[in-house]
Short mmCIF file of all heavy atoms in Angstrom, two decimals:
data_model
loop_
_atom_site.label_atom_id
_atom_site.label_comp_id
_atom_site.label_asym_id
_atom_site.label_seq_id
_atom_site.Cartn_x
_atom_site.Cartn_y
_atom_site.Cartn_z
N ASN A 8 -42.08 27.05 22.68
CA ASN A 8 -40.84 26.84 23.43
C ASN A 8 -41.10 26.96 24.96
O ASN A 8 -40.42 26.28 25.73
CB ASN A 8 -39.83 27.97 22.99
CG ASN A 8 -39.39 27.69 21.55
OD1 ASN A 8 -39.37 26.56 21.06
ND2 ASN A 8 -38.98 28.74 20.92
N ILE A 283 -37.87 17.87 17.93
CA ILE A 283 -37.95 18.67 16.66
C ILE A 283 -38.32 20.18 16.98
O ILE A 283 -37.78 21.07 16.40
CB ILE A 283 -38.93 18.07 15.65
CG1 ILE A 283 -38.32 16.70 15.13
CG2 ILE A 283 -39.23 18.95 14.49
CD1 ILE A 283 -39.24 15.89 14.32
N ASP A 284 -39.23 20.29 17.91
CA ASP A 284 -39.69 21.60 18.33
C ASP A 284 -38.51 22.34 19.04
O ASP A 284 -38.34 23.60 18.90
CB ASP A 284 -40.88 21.49 19.25
CG ASP A 284 -41.59 22.82 19.41
OD1 ASP A 284 -42.04 23.37 18.42
OD2 ASP A 284 -41.76 23.30 20.56
N ALA A 286 -35.14 21.54 18.90
CA ALA A 286 -33.84 21.67 18.21
C ALA A 286 -33.86 22.59 16.96
O ALA A 286 -32.88 23.11 16.56
CB ALA A 286 -33.49 20.27 17.63
N ILE A 287 -35.06 22.79 16.38
CA ILE A 287 -35.23 23.64 15.21
C ILE A 287 -35.77 24.93 15.54
O ILE A 287 -37.03 24.93 16.06
CB ILE A 287 -35.95 22.93 14.06
CG1 ILE A 287 -35.30 21.57 13.72
CG2 ILE A 287 -36.02 23.80 12.83
CD1 ILE A 287 -36.06 20.72 12.73
N TYR A 288 -35.18 26.06 15.31
CA TYR A 288 -35.72 27.35 15.61
C TYR A 288 -36.84 27.71 14.76
O TYR A 288 -36.92 27.35 13.61
CB TYR A 288 -34.66 28.49 15.55
CG TYR A 288 -33.61 28.45 16.61
CD1 TYR A 288 -32.30 28.04 16.34
CD2 TYR A 288 -33.90 28.89 17.88
CE1 TYR A 288 -31.35 28.08 17.35
CE2 TYR A 288 -32.94 28.90 18.84
CZ TYR A 288 -31.68 28.55 18.63
OH TYR A 288 -30.72 28.49 19.63
N SER A 289 -37.80 28.48 15.31
CA SER A 289 -38.89 29.00 14.57
C SER A 289 -38.70 30.52 14.40
O SER A 289 -37.89 31.14 15.03
CB SER A 289 -40.25 28.83 15.40
OG SER A 289 -40.50 27.44 15.53
N ALA A 290 -39.49 31.13 13.47
CA ALA A 290 -39.40 32.62 13.26
C ALA A 290 -39.75 33.31 14.59
O ALA A 290 -40.62 32.92 15.28
CB ALA A 290 -40.44 32.94 12.21
N GLY A 291 -38.87 34.32 14.89
CA GLY A 291 -39.09 35.06 16.14
C GLY A 291 -38.50 34.55 17.38
O GLY A 291 -38.52 35.13 18.48
N ASP A 292 -37.84 33.39 17.29
CA ASP A 292 -37.08 32.82 18.41
C ASP A 292 -35.86 33.64 18.80
O ASP A 292 -35.32 34.40 17.92
CB ASP A 292 -36.68 31.38 18.16
CG ASP A 292 -37.79 30.36 18.36
OD1 ASP A 292 -38.81 30.72 19.00
OD2 ASP A 292 -37.63 29.23 17.94
N HIS A 293 -35.48 33.48 20.03
CA HIS A 293 -34.18 33.95 20.48
C HIS A 293 -33.17 32.71 20.67
O HIS A 293 -33.69 31.66 20.80
CB HIS A 293 -34.33 34.68 21.78
CG HIS A 293 -35.20 35.86 21.70
ND1 HIS A 293 -34.86 37.07 21.00
CD2 HIS A 293 -36.51 36.11 22.14
CE1 HIS A 293 -35.82 37.98 21.10
NE2 HIS A 293 -36.87 37.38 21.73
N PRO A 294 -31.86 33.01 20.67
CA PRO A 294 -30.98 31.87 20.83
C PRO A 294 -31.28 31.12 22.13
O PRO A 294 -31.55 31.76 23.17
CB PRO A 294 -29.63 32.52 20.89
CG PRO A 294 -29.76 33.82 20.12
CD PRO A 294 -31.24 34.24 20.43
N ARG A 295 -31.23 29.80 22.11
CA ARG A 295 -31.45 29.03 23.29
C ARG A 295 -30.31 29.31 24.28
O ARG A 295 -29.13 29.57 23.87
CB ARG A 295 -31.43 27.49 23.05
CG ARG A 295 -32.42 27.04 21.91
CD ARG A 295 -33.71 26.75 22.53
NE ARG A 295 -34.53 26.06 21.54
CZ ARG A 295 -35.43 26.70 20.74
NH1 ARG A 295 -35.62 27.99 20.80
NH2 ARG A 295 -36.11 25.97 19.79
N ALA A 311 -26.72 36.91 17.86
CA ALA A 311 -28.08 37.09 18.41
C ALA A 311 -29.23 36.82 17.41
O ALA A 311 -30.27 36.43 17.83
CB ALA A 311 -28.16 38.57 18.94
N GLU A 312 -28.91 37.01 16.10
CA GLU A 312 -29.92 36.80 15.10
C GLU A 312 -30.26 35.29 15.00
O GLU A 312 -29.41 34.42 15.10
CB GLU A 312 -29.48 37.33 13.77
CG GLU A 312 -30.56 37.24 12.72
CD GLU A 312 -30.04 37.77 11.33
OE1 GLU A 312 -28.86 38.00 11.23
OE2 GLU A 312 -30.87 37.79 10.40
N ILE A 313 -31.51 35.01 14.86
CA ILE A 313 -32.03 33.58 14.67
C ILE A 313 -32.93 33.59 13.49
O ILE A 313 -33.75 34.50 13.22
CB ILE A 313 -32.83 33.11 15.89
CG1 ILE A 313 -31.87 32.97 17.10
CG2 ILE A 313 -33.56 31.84 15.59
CD1 ILE A 313 -30.91 31.71 16.90
N ALA A 314 -32.76 32.61 12.64
CA ALA A 314 -33.61 32.38 11.43
C ALA A 314 -34.34 31.15 11.60
O ALA A 314 -33.92 30.15 12.19
CB ALA A 314 -32.70 32.32 10.18
N ALA A 315 -35.59 31.13 11.11
CA ALA A 315 -36.44 29.89 11.07
C ALA A 315 -35.71 28.83 10.35
O ALA A 315 -35.19 28.99 9.22
CB ALA A 315 -37.80 30.20 10.42
N GLY A 316 -35.60 27.63 10.99
CA GLY A 316 -34.99 26.44 10.38
C GLY A 316 -33.60 26.21 10.93
O GLY A 316 -33.06 25.07 10.70
N GLU A 317 -32.98 27.15 11.52
CA GLU A 317 -31.66 26.92 12.09
C GLU A 317 -31.77 25.87 13.21
O GLU A 317 -32.83 25.73 13.86
CB GLU A 317 -31.07 28.21 12.65
CG GLU A 317 -30.52 29.09 11.62
CD GLU A 317 -29.67 30.27 12.29
OE1 GLU A 317 -30.27 31.27 12.62
OE2 GLU A 317 -28.49 30.08 12.45
N ILE A 318 -30.70 25.20 13.43
CA ILE A 318 -30.66 24.13 14.51
C ILE A 318 -29.79 24.53 15.66
O ILE A 318 -28.70 25.16 15.41
CB ILE A 318 -30.23 22.82 13.82
CG1 ILE A 318 -31.31 22.31 12.85
CG2 ILE A 318 -29.91 21.73 14.86
CD1 ILE A 318 -30.95 21.02 12.11
N VAL A 319 -30.13 24.16 16.83
CA VAL A 319 -29.50 24.71 18.01
C VAL A 319 -27.95 24.43 18.04
O VAL A 319 -27.17 25.10 18.60
CB VAL A 319 -30.11 24.14 19.33
CG1 VAL A 319 -31.51 24.67 19.46
CG2 VAL A 319 -30.03 22.64 19.39
N ARG A 321 -25.88 25.04 16.09
CA ARG A 321 -25.17 26.04 15.34
C ARG A 321 -24.01 26.70 16.16
O ARG A 321 -23.07 27.26 15.65
CB ARG A 321 -26.10 27.11 14.80
CG ARG A 321 -26.64 28.09 15.88
CD ARG A 321 -27.54 29.13 15.41
NE ARG A 321 -27.59 30.24 16.37
CZ ARG A 321 -27.69 31.47 15.94
NH1 ARG A 321 -27.75 31.85 14.76
NH2 ARG A 321 -27.75 32.44 16.94
N LEU A 337 -30.12 17.04 12.05
CA LEU A 337 -31.20 16.98 11.01
C LEU A 337 -31.34 15.66 10.37
O LEU A 337 -32.48 15.19 10.12
CB LEU A 337 -31.02 18.15 10.06
CG LEU A 337 -32.07 18.29 8.95
CD1 LEU A 337 -33.41 18.52 9.53
CD2 LEU A 337 -31.69 19.47 8.01
N ASN A 357 -43.39 20.28 8.67
CA ASN A 357 -43.12 21.66 8.22
C ASN A 357 -41.76 22.21 8.80
O ASN A 357 -40.99 22.89 8.15
CB ASN A 357 -44.24 22.58 8.58
CG ASN A 357 -45.53 22.24 7.85
OD1 ASN A 357 -45.52 21.58 6.87
ND2 ASN A 357 -46.60 22.68 8.44
N LYS A 358 -41.52 21.86 10.03
CA LYS A 358 -40.28 22.32 10.71
C LYS A 358 -39.00 21.69 10.06
O LYS A 358 -38.03 22.31 9.88
CB LYS A 358 -40.27 22.06 12.17
CG LYS A 358 -40.71 23.24 13.03
CD LYS A 358 -40.13 23.22 14.41
CE LYS A 358 -40.12 24.57 14.96
NZ LYS A 358 -39.43 24.67 16.28
N LEU A 359 -39.16 20.45 9.71
CA LEU A 359 -38.06 19.69 9.05
C LEU A 359 -37.82 20.33 7.66
O LEU A 359 -36.66 20.58 7.32
CB LEU A 359 -38.33 18.23 8.90
CG LEU A 359 -38.39 17.43 10.22
CD1 LEU A 359 -38.96 16.02 9.97
CD2 LEU A 359 -37.02 17.36 10.87
N GLN A 360 -38.89 20.69 6.98
CA GLN A 360 -38.71 21.32 5.68
C GLN A 360 -38.07 22.74 5.81
O GLN A 360 -37.22 23.12 5.03
CB GLN A 360 -40.03 21.35 4.93
CG GLN A 360 -39.82 21.84 3.47
CD GLN A 360 -41.11 21.76 2.65
OE1 GLN A 360 -42.30 21.54 3.29
NE2 GLN A 360 -41.06 21.92 1.35
N ASP A 361 -38.45 23.46 6.83
CA ASP A 361 -37.96 24.75 7.12
C ASP A 361 -36.41 24.64 7.33
O ASP A 361 -35.62 25.49 6.81
CB ASP A 361 -38.55 25.40 8.39
CG ASP A 361 -39.97 25.86 8.18
OD1 ASP A 361 -40.41 26.05 7.00
OD2 ASP A 361 -40.63 26.13 9.17
N SER A 362 -36.01 23.64 8.02
CA SER A 362 -34.52 23.51 8.30
C SER A 362 -33.76 23.12 7.06
O SER A 362 -32.68 23.70 6.74
CB SER A 362 -34.33 22.43 9.35
OG SER A 362 -32.98 22.48 9.84
N LEU A 363 -34.33 22.22 6.23
CA LEU A 363 -33.69 21.86 4.95
C LEU A 363 -33.63 23.06 4.04
O LEU A 363 -32.53 23.41 3.43
CB LEU A 363 -34.49 20.78 4.24
CG LEU A 363 -34.35 19.37 4.87
CD1 LEU A 363 -35.52 18.50 4.32
CD2 LEU A 363 -33.03 18.79 4.49
N ASP A 364 -34.66 23.84 4.02
CA ASP A 364 -34.66 25.07 3.15
C ASP A 364 -33.66 26.14 3.67
O ASP A 364 -32.96 26.76 2.84
CB ASP A 364 -36.05 25.75 3.20
CG ASP A 364 -37.11 24.97 2.35
OD1 ASP A 364 -36.69 24.06 1.62
OD2 ASP A 364 -38.32 25.22 2.49
N TYR A 365 -33.53 26.24 4.96
CA TYR A 365 -32.56 27.23 5.51
C TYR A 365 -31.12 26.83 5.07
O TYR A 365 -30.35 27.70 4.54
CB TYR A 365 -32.62 27.41 6.98
CG TYR A 365 -31.61 28.39 7.49
CD1 TYR A 365 -31.80 29.73 7.34
CD2 TYR A 365 -30.42 27.94 7.93
CE1 TYR A 365 -30.85 30.69 7.75
CE2 TYR A 365 -29.41 28.86 8.33
CZ TYR A 365 -29.65 30.16 8.22
OH TYR A 365 -28.70 31.09 8.57
N TYR A 366 -30.70 25.64 5.37
CA TYR A 366 -29.37 25.24 5.14
C TYR A 366 -29.07 24.97 3.65
O TYR A 366 -27.92 25.00 3.26
CB TYR A 366 -28.99 23.98 5.95
CG TYR A 366 -28.83 24.35 7.43
CD1 TYR A 366 -29.85 24.06 8.36
CD2 TYR A 366 -27.71 25.05 7.83
CE1 TYR A 366 -29.63 24.39 9.70
CE2 TYR A 366 -27.57 25.39 9.20
CZ TYR A 366 -28.54 25.09 10.17
OH TYR A 366 -28.40 25.47 11.41
N ALA A 367 -30.08 24.73 2.81
CA ALA A 367 -29.90 24.58 1.43
C ALA A 367 -29.16 25.75 0.76
O ALA A 367 -28.40 25.50 -0.16
CB ALA A 367 -31.23 24.28 0.68
N TYR A 368 -29.42 26.90 1.20
CA TYR A 368 -28.79 28.13 0.66
C TYR A 368 -27.27 27.98 0.58
O TYR A 368 -26.63 28.24 -0.45
CB TYR A 368 -29.18 29.38 1.51
CG TYR A 368 -28.31 30.63 1.16
CD1 TYR A 368 -28.66 31.42 0.07
CD2 TYR A 368 -27.26 30.94 1.90
CE1 TYR A 368 -27.89 32.53 -0.29
CE2 TYR A 368 -26.47 32.04 1.59
CZ TYR A 368 -26.84 32.82 0.51
OH TYR A 368 -26.08 33.95 0.22
N TYR A 369 -26.67 27.58 1.69
CA TYR A 369 -25.18 27.48 1.76
C TYR A 369 -24.70 26.40 0.86
O TYR A 369 -23.65 26.56 0.19
CB TYR A 369 -24.80 27.24 3.22
CG TYR A 369 -25.19 28.26 4.11
CD1 TYR A 369 -26.37 28.15 4.96
CD2 TYR A 369 -24.51 29.50 4.24
CE1 TYR A 369 -26.82 29.09 5.82
CE2 TYR A 369 -24.95 30.51 5.09
CZ TYR A 369 -26.04 30.32 5.94
OH TYR A 369 -26.52 31.30 6.72
N TYR A 388 -28.75 37.39 3.71
CA TYR A 388 -29.41 36.13 4.13
C TYR A 388 -29.49 35.99 5.60
O TYR A 388 -28.45 36.25 6.32
CB TYR A 388 -28.64 34.90 3.47
CG TYR A 388 -29.36 33.62 3.59
CD1 TYR A 388 -30.46 33.33 2.81
CD2 TYR A 388 -28.91 32.60 4.48
CE1 TYR A 388 -31.18 32.13 2.91
CE2 TYR A 388 -29.63 31.40 4.60
CZ TYR A 388 -30.76 31.18 3.75
OH TYR A 388 -31.45 29.96 3.91
N PRO A 389 -30.58 35.63 6.20
CA PRO A 389 -30.74 35.59 7.61
C PRO A 389 -29.67 34.77 8.36
O PRO A 389 -29.36 33.64 7.91
CB PRO A 389 -32.17 34.89 7.87
CG PRO A 389 -32.85 35.21 6.57
CD PRO A 389 -31.79 35.13 5.41
N SER A 390 -29.10 35.28 9.41
CA SER A 390 -28.10 34.69 10.21
C SER A 390 -26.81 34.28 9.48
O SER A 390 -26.03 33.48 9.88
CB SER A 390 -28.60 33.42 10.90
OG SER A 390 -29.57 33.80 11.94
N TYR A 391 -26.65 34.95 8.37
CA TYR A 391 -25.44 34.61 7.54
C TYR A 391 -24.15 34.77 8.30
O TYR A 391 -23.22 33.94 8.19
CB TYR A 391 -25.44 35.55 6.33
CG TYR A 391 -24.27 35.29 5.38
CD1 TYR A 391 -24.34 34.45 4.25
CD2 TYR A 391 -23.01 36.02 5.51
CE1 TYR A 391 -23.33 34.19 3.42
CE2 TYR A 391 -21.97 35.75 4.66
CZ TYR A 391 -22.12 34.90 3.60
OH TYR A 391 -21.07 34.65 2.75
N TYR A 394 -22.41 31.84 9.98
CA TYR A 394 -21.76 30.78 9.19
C TYR A 394 -20.66 31.38 8.26
O TYR A 394 -19.98 30.54 7.66
CB TYR A 394 -22.84 30.05 8.36
CG TYR A 394 -23.95 29.55 9.21
CD1 TYR A 394 -25.11 30.26 9.47
CD2 TYR A 394 -23.85 28.26 9.75
CE1 TYR A 394 -26.09 29.76 10.26
CE2 TYR A 394 -24.82 27.69 10.54
CZ TYR A 394 -25.97 28.49 10.80
OH TYR A 394 -26.95 27.99 11.55
N GLN A 429 -35.52 24.83 -3.12
CA GLN A 429 -34.21 24.98 -2.39
C GLN A 429 -33.48 23.67 -2.24
O GLN A 429 -32.28 23.62 -2.49
CB GLN A 429 -34.51 25.61 -1.05
CG GLN A 429 -34.88 27.08 -1.06
CD GLN A 429 -36.42 27.28 -1.02
OE1 GLN A 429 -37.20 26.44 -1.62
NE2 GLN A 429 -36.89 28.33 -0.33
#
Side-chain angles (χ1 to χ4, degrees):
N8 293 331
I283 291 172
D284 196 57
I287 302 175
Y288 285 110
S289 298
D292 276 348
H293 298 287
R295 305 274 191 265
E312 183 182 8
I313 289 292
E317 285 190 272
I318 292 178
V319 296
R321 74 181 198 142
L337 180 57
N357 294 340
K358 264 208 156 183
L359 292 170
Q360 187 173 11
D361 286 345
S362 192
L363 287 162
D364 286 347
Y365 178 79
Y366 287 104
Y368 168 82
Y369 299 99
Y388 191 71
S390 288
Y391 181 89
Y394 304 92
Q429 288 96 323

